[in-house]
Amino acid sequence: MKIVVAVKQIATLGDEVEFTDDERAVDPDFLDYALNDWDSFSTEEALQIRDRSGEGEVVVVSVGDEDAEEAMRRCLAMGADRGIRIWSDALDGADPITVARALAEVIRREGPDFVFAGVQSADSVQAATGVALAELLGLPRVAVVTKIELGDGKAVVDRELEGGIVDRTEVDVPALFTIQTGINEPRYATLRAIKQAEQKEIEVVEPSDLGEPAYRVRRMYVPEKGAGAEMLDGSAENVAQRIAEIVKERLK
Amino acid sequence: MSVLVITEHIRGEVRDITRELVTAAQDLDGPVAVAVIAKDPSALADAVNVSGVDEIVNVAVEQEEFENDVYAGVVEALAKEREPDVTLTGFTVNSMGFAPAVAARLGLGFASDVLSFRQDGDGLVAERSFYGAKVNAEVEFPGKAQVVLMLRATSWAPAEGSGNATVSDFQAPQIESRARHLEFVDVEQGDVDITTADFLLSVGRGIGEKENLAQFEELAEKMGGVLSVSRPIVDSGWVPNVRQVGQSGKTVKPKVYLALGISGAVQHLAGMKTSGTIIAVNTDAEAPIFNVAHYGAVADLFDVAEELEKLF
Ligand SMILES: Cc1cc2nc3c(=O)[nH]c(=O)nc-3n(C[C@H](O)[C@H](O)[C@H](O)COP(=O)(O)OP(=O)(O)OC[C@H]3O[C@@H](n4cnc5c(N)ncnc54)[C@H](O)[C@@H]3O)c2cc1C
Ligand SMILES: Nc1ncnc2c1ncn2[C@@H]1O[C@H](COP(=O)(O)O)[C@@H](O)[C@H]1O
């Protein structure tokens, strides 16, 4: 069983932000980095399926600069076998379809049984890369999967709709699933595993043809706050007192 | 600019998002067509014949319920034959299964979780968020004759009134559906109903550990309310999903919603933003929950909870 998992190193902002001079991106000095939450669930799911099948490998693939290897190492420390990182400067701030094209080129040659992506990345919430990738790979796909049962030549998966309703779906395999949080409990990597992961291979690949972007960022800005909340200042005691007043008043 | 709206329906009911898309379509000044992809599209026609719709395009397919290959195949054929300038879908679970695929296959312009859009010269500009809604961006689609936009739910009011749209039929292409609907499984009803509570004390990932949960359940009761949670708390298996607020949980509208350690992700806001009074406590002054809150405090939730204990 060979499973490729697309993982992303996401960027988070604190309470301050400045933009690059052309205003098309956030100044990287203001960003922190982490593995996308969804991608730790999809990595875990791949590892469990590999281990149940008793053979095969889990390959993590990421589009990102050298820093993205930190997120990849986390997946390797969880137990993934090897990594492939794809990068060229043209991928900086790329739209999800361009990212999918870069991923497709590499994943196609791996010929996996399954490809997993996260439902969405927490920093850009496109919820698009996985399904675009499936299309480019010519694979059947199901988005927002909360359960996977493997059968012969097909799988039955739960797709979680709005309101929590589940659509049980039968899907031909090989297939791509976008994995929803809560599908499993991602393992913590032990210190020893983190050390060992340093030795695992991460191949670096430059994409050949990225095609035309699906969108281009014209400018970024801090959104207007609207009316905004009335802020309760002072000590925790003062804040609690005001909250208690508001609650009692409104529930009268 | 001509607009094509893709109808979303489940169990024979057109979902609200479709009429929201119709309202959104009026932001451009072209004709608005609404495609209904269903086993018996005409049965849904009345529900989409609302004011602002110029044409209803019926596409009969074999499948009663949504399947992503069916929608991808039909929307691709519509894009090729009718060449709408803009195709609108909801930013919904169903559309996540096909809209990016159509855009990738045909090389169309594409943006998801779109908050607003407008025509700008000959082109289109869409607004979307990045970095946990702390930054917004305008995106453009250079060189794209057609653009697919997935619009955020509950951002436009649903179109009402009855329209007088013309009706046409569109022949669906041959489609092999590789991911087939078997059955719907409804969420189990638990012994709590967070949708009827007047006061919800809602906790999110900010509470850190499972061990911390009990104190908030007690506090909620002491304050005369019910405990609800954001998705990560359910994902961790700490409480059953009957207490989850948000897009994949419950939509709630209590008199007071007190959010402790919840950032305010769009899927959470979708379930609580119309609450009577929203109070948010978060250590991050820029957390997007403060954009919908009526009262906010930049404070440690444990400190505030400890003080609240004393007051009830
Ligand atoms: C298809 C789909 C459906 C979804 N449905 C839902 C849904 O129904 N409901 C839902 O909630 N989410 C849903 N999500 C997930 C959603 O995108 C977010 O991941 C989730 O809402 C984040 O939960 P959170 O705010 O608790 O956690 P986080 O975003 O991690 O926020 C934690 C917050 O706690 C604050 N904090 C930390 N420590 C403290 C402290 N000591 N004191 C005060 N504040 C502190 C932090 O500053 C942060 O703002 C869905 C996602 C998808 C893709
Ligand atoms: N730069 C990237 N490298 C690898 N995978 C990615 C990248 N961006 C997005 N993905 C995958 O696509 C999923 C959804 O992200 P998005 O479409 O950006 O919301 C993520 O969980 C990843 O699995």
Side-chain angles (χ1 to χ4, degrees):
Chain A
M1 187 70 71
K2 181 172 182 174
I3 305 175
V4 170
V5 187
V7 302
K8 180 182 181 188
Q9 167 127 304
I10 59 150
T12 58
L13 263 179
D15 53 11
E16 273 182 86
V17 57
E18 278 181 25
F19 297 96
T20 53
D21 288 339
D22 65 4
E23 293 185 5
R24 288 205 160 121
V26 167
D27 180 341
D29 286 349
F30 292 79
L31 296 172
D32 288 320
Y33 298 94
L35 172 64
N36 184 31
D37 222 8
W38 278 265
D39 301 344
S40 60
F41 288 91
S42 55
T43 301
E44 176 65 38
E45 195 64 17
L47 294 172
Q48 289 187 14
I49 292 174
R50 177 198 65 187
D51 294 345
R52 271 200 303 273
S53 85
E55 42 90 43
E57 59 171 350
V58 172
V59 184
V60 292
V61 181
S62 191
V63 172
D65 63 15
E66 220 180 316
D67 290 339
E69 291 193 7
E70 204 179 311
M72 299 177 75
R73 295 270 172 221
R74 275 211 37 201
C75 303
L76 295 172
M78 286 171 73
D81 299 281
R82 62 188 166 92
I84 306 172
R85 181 170 67 79
I86 307 164
W87 190 241
S88 78
D89 290 342
L91 284 162
D92 203 6
D95 69 89
I97 291 175
T98 302
V99 171
R101 283 197 197 103
L103 290 166
E105 192 183 328
V106 165
I107 296 173
R108 196 173 291 122
R109 65 157 211 241
E110 291 284 332
D113 298 297
F114 289 99
V115 180
F116 292 170
V119 169
Q120 66 181 30
S121 52
D123 57 350
S124 53
V125 189
Q126 323 262 11
T129 310
V131 166
L133 172 61
E135 182 66 30
L136 298 170
L137 293 171
L139 290 177
R141 72 272 165 167
V142 181
V144 193
V145 167
T146 52
K147 188 174 174 191
I148 301 173
E149 286 168 40
L150 299 186
D152 209 14
K154 47 188 178 208
V156 173
V157 300
D158 284 357
R159 188 170 76 93
E160 189 191 48
L161 303 179
E162 286 77 11
I165 301 170
V166 162
D167 176 13
R168 193 151 286 161
T169 305
E170 177 189 71
V171 52
D172 299 339
V173 299
L176 180 146
F177 302 140
T178 76
I179 305 290
Q180 176 62 312
T181 56
I183 188 171
N184 54 39
E185 265 183 65
R187 69 196 69 185
Y188 286 104
T190 62
L191 272 173
R192 184 152 157 266
I194 292 171
K195 266 227 140 61
Q196 280 171 345
E198 295 296 325
Q199 309 303 321
K200 291 186 180 173
E201 179 200 341
I202 296 182
E203 182 192 349
V204 182
V205 174
E206 212 173 302
S208 54
D209 183 15
L210 293 174
E212 291 299 314
Y215 69 58
R216 198 173 71 129
V217 173
R218 181 190 275 191
R219 73 181 181 104
M220 284 199 176
Y221 50 95
V222 176
E224 294 226 2
K225 291 271 150 50
E230 179 186 331
M231 296 313 274
L232 312 176
D233 298 321
S235 64
E237 191 184 343
N238 292 343
V239 168
Q241 253 155 15
R242 285 287 286 128
I243 292 177
E245 278 168 29
I246 298 162
V247 172
K248 284 172 184 163
E249 157 70 28
R250 297 294 139 97
L251 293 182
K252 253 202 309 238
Chain B
M1 285 185 153
S2 59
V3 183
L4 178 68
V5 169
I6 310 300
T7 299
E8 196 161 321
H9 60 90
I10 181 170
R11 292 165 160 164
E13 300 259 354
V14 171
R15 302 186 56 199
D16 286 348
I17 182 71
T18 304
R19 291 184 298 120
E20 293 168 27
L21 298 176
V22 171
T23 302
Q26 316 304 319
D27 293 349
L28 300 173
D29 56 7
V32 177
V34 176
V36 182
I37 306 167
K39 193 163 193 173
D40 178 12
S42 58
L44 302 172
D46 277 351
V48 297
N49 195 358
V50 287
S51 110
V53 179
D54 299 297
E55 181 188 2
I56 295 171
V57 184
N58 285 333
V59 191
V61 294
E62 282 166 33
Q63 291 79 2
E64 185 87 49
E65 299 294 346
F66 175 85
E67 292 183 9
N68 66 53
D69 282 325
V70 175
Y71 275 61
V74 170
V75 175
E76 185 186 328
L78 287 165
K80 281 187 187 151
E81 284 190 37
R82 298 178 55 104
E83 301 181 344
D85 295 316
V86 183
T87 297
L88 298 180
T89 78
F91 187 56
T92 57
V93 172
N94 280 359
S95 298
M96 286 172 192
F98 75 90
V102 175
R105 188 177 180 90
L106 301 181
L108 310 182
F110 174 84
S112 56
D113 195 18
V114 168
L115 310 169
S116 74
F117 58 95
R118 62 174 200 276
Q119 187 167 349
D120 183 68
D122 288 341
L124 190 71
V125 176
E127 186 184 26
R128 70 184 315 284
S129 297
F130 287 89
Y131 306 111
K134 289 179 178 177
V135 164
N136 278 9
E138 279 182 356
V139 301
E140 57 198 0
F141 311 91
K144 302 291 187 186
Q146 286 189 47
V147 177
V148 176
L149 299 180
M150 302 180 71
L151 306 188
R152 182 179 290 187
T154 69
S155 298
W156 285 266
E160 290 179 14
S162 60
N164 45 6
T166 60
V167 178
S168 63
D169 287 304
F170 183 85
Q171 177 72 40
Q174 272 295 341
I175 293 162
E176 184 210 346
S177 186
R178 300 163 299 173
R180 299 165 292 272
H181 164 76
L182 296 176
E183 58 172 335
F184 290 121
V185 184
D186 288 295
V187 225
E188 277 175 41
Q189 298 304 323
D191 44 5
V192 273
D193 186 0
I194 60 169
T195 64
T196 54
D198 280 340
F199 173 56
L200 286 175
L201 187 156
S202 206
V203 298
R205 185 146 38 195
I207 65 163
E209 308 279 331
K210 183 179 186 182
E211 288 63 45
N212 298 332
L213 192 69
Q215 79 179 83
F216 295 101
E217 191 162 5
E218 281 159 30
L219 180 60
E221 255 174 51
K222 218 169 167 185
M223 292 176 74
V226 173
L227 180 81
S228 60
V229 301
S230 68
R231 178 160 188 132
I233 306 296
V234 173
D235 286 341
S236 306
W238 300 350
V239 299
N241 65 359
V242 290
R243 289 191 195 255
Q244 180 183 316
V245 172
Q247 184 189 293
S248 53
K250 296 271 186 337
T251 300
V252 299
K253 205 178 168 178
K255 286 186 182 150
V256 183
Y257 189 84
L258 173 57
L260 304 180
I262 294 176
S263 64
V266 336
Q267 292 106 349
H268 187 81
L269 301 184
M272 46 64 74
K273 69 180 178 188
T274 59
S275 300
T277 300
I278 299 168
I279 313 171
V281 177
N282 198 303
T283 42
D284 177 0
E286 294 302 316
I289 188 85
F290 290 128
N291 300 342
V292 301
H294 303 97
Y295 299 93
V298 179
D300 187 295
L301 66 93
F302 294 102
D303 296 343
V304 173
E306 195 182 316
E307 295 298 330
L308 279 173
E309 295 273 354
K310 301 176 190 161
L311 298 170
F312 287 86

